[in-house]
Amino acid sequence: MLELASVDRKGSAESTGNVSEMIPLKRVELRNQTPQWIEWTGYLEAGFEPEVRFRNGPIAAKRMVRLLSNLGEEHEEFKPFVNMKPGLEKAHGVLKSYRGQKLRIWEIQVEGPQVTSWPPAGHQKLYGDLKSDELNRDTVSQRIRTFAETAFRRPITTDELEPIQSLVASKIDMGMSPLAAAQLGFQAILCSPGFLYLDEGQGKLDDYAIASRLSYFLWSSMPDTQLLNLAANGKLRDKAVLREQVGRMIADPKSNRFVSHFIRRWLELDNIGEMPPPPDVPEIEPDIRGATTVRDELAKHRNVATCAECHRKIDPLGFALENFDAIGQWRENYGRNLLIDPSGKFPKGKEFQSFSEFRDQINQRDEQFTKCLTEKLLTYAIGRELNTGDRPAVDAILETLHNQSPGFQELIQLIVESSVFRRN
């Protein structure tokens, strides 16, 4: 997973100092070794510069040097470094000899600013069609109210808005320019709980809360005008309307955010390079001397008591997939014709001898998979962990799926129509 980030190195593009601040901008899954251009349009703060990272790439360099040095007996390229004293010379030599996955960046181009039309969308949300010389106490007050309703994704109460309006008005009365006062009001709105949090209340959700929950579920963004209009007219509790809106939203390109975000959150893809122990497992390396295969190494790993319980469950799955190399190509052996043994046994005792047998046994667990997918999808949709009170709703969804055998889109519809989705 390649990550583009905006980093601050004390404001100097030539600095090689430590990063004081980092903002992730884009992540791209690299599926093969073919060189490619990756384009991204976004925002860089003044003084920041782009940086490319291998998000789930090789482990930390120092540890990697140590581990690769131990492979000198098996790999000719590392033999010269086996007995070399630790230091920069050894580290550079080992890493240069490494032939595994790594990024090679040949060129980076930065263009900007890219404003195709004026005023841009953000400017319009703040100021509408107003010109700078049209800003005054009254027009600023009106823009503050309009922007707050957009930011809060619902009608606002007088109590919520009055402190912000009073702040802005007092600043103008004290001589602050209407433009500066308006910007202060916008900042206050964007720092307020009404913008930062989804206040959905308790019990049955009102239509505005349903609109927000639905939009952040399928679009990872705030409701659009159509959803807000339906909420204003009290129509989002109607099942037929709700079903129609789900179909519309899934057909919209913005639903691609749901696909990528849900899978990333469920499988924790962003943390692959930062995870392998739990807090009670110390960061130690078992003695793997003499091990010639991954299976041998893990057998020694299981000799460590704190590692054994987890590895008893996860190792068989890894053994079954050993026929696939790091980029997914099929292989029958490791280097030097060392045959791969993909056999294993599930924690409950069922054995398999090959990847195909493993796949067949996994395919027999369709009900278990559907239950897991339903629970993870519902958890993502409502933004909290499920509890025992949610069990009847989950069971009802699973029964419908079992009786009708619908597809994934129908599962989303059932999630949205469930009582758990429409109440807190």
Side-chain angles (χ1 to χ4, degrees), residues 276 298 302 307-320 347:
L298 291 173
R302 289 192 299 273
C307 304
E309 181 57 25
C310 288
H311 279 269
R312 182 180 67 85
K313 300 175 182 177
I314 63 178
D315 286 358
L317 310 182
F319 295 150

Side-chain angles (χ1 to χ4, degrees), residues 323-343:
N323 282 121
F324 299 94
D325 66 13
I327 60 173
Q329 291 181 324
W330 183 263
R331 60 184 180 180
E332 297 287 349
N333 50 59
Y334 301 108
R336 298 191 174 183
N337 296 321
L338 188 61
L339 289 177
I340 291 173
D341 178 7
S343 65

Side-chain angles (χ1 to χ4, degrees), residues 241-364:
V241 173
L242 203 55
R243 180 167 281 266
E244 180 183 354
Q245 288 302 302
V246 170
R248 176 181 75 89
M249 296 175 72
I250 291 176
D252 192 286
K254 286 184 287 188
S255 65
N256 290 332
R257 303 170 188 168
F258 157 71
V259 176
S260 60
H261 291 183
F262 171 61
I263 293 175
R264 280 167 48 195
R265 294 296 300 275
W266 177 17
L267 303 179
E268 298 186 60
L269 298 181
D270 290 346
N271 299 326
I272 287 179
E274 299 178 357
M275 287 180 181
D280 61 333
V281 178
E283 293 189 12
I284 59 172
E285 282 298 314
D287 183 0
I288 60 173
R289 288 175 295 182
T292 57
T293 67
V294 172
R295 183 180 291 270
D296 294 338
E297 291 180 8
L298 291 173
K300 288 179 174 290
H301 208 87
R302 289 192 299 273
N303 288 334
V304 181
T306 51
C307 304
E309 181 57 25
C310 288
H311 279 269
R312 182 180 67 85
K313 300 175 182 177
I314 63 178
D315 286 358
L317 310 182
F319 295 150
L321 300 175
E322 275 298 292
N323 282 121
F324 299 94
D325 66 13
I327 60 173
Q329 291 181 324
W330 183 263
R331 60 184 180 180
E332 297 287 349
N333 50 59
Y334 301 108
R336 298 191 174 183
N337 296 321
L338 188 61
L339 289 177
I340 291 173
D341 178 7
S343 65
K345 181 170 67 174
F346 286 101
K348 292 187 178 180
K350 207 164 186 179
E351 298 182 353
F352 54 86
Q353 300 303 316
S354 64
F355 167 72
S356 59
E357 289 184 16
F358 170 79
R359 179 185 56 198
D360 291 342
Q361 292 189 31
I362 290 293
N363 285 338
Q364 295 171 13

Side-chain angles (χ1 to χ4, degrees), residues 7 52 70 103 112 151 186 189 282 308 332:
V7 300
V52 180
N70 293 336
L103 294 178
F186 297 145
I189 290 170
E332 297 287 349

Side-chain angles (χ1 to χ4, degrees), residues 153 213 218 334:
R153 305 165 294 273
R213 178 168 283 189
L218 297 178
Y334 301 108

Side-chain angles (χ1 to χ4, degrees), residues 148-162:
E149 289 180 345
T150 301
F152 290 3
R153 305 165 294 273
R154 56 173 171 77
I156 54 177
T157 65
T158 302
D159 290 343
E160 287 178 306
L161 195 58
E162 196 279 330

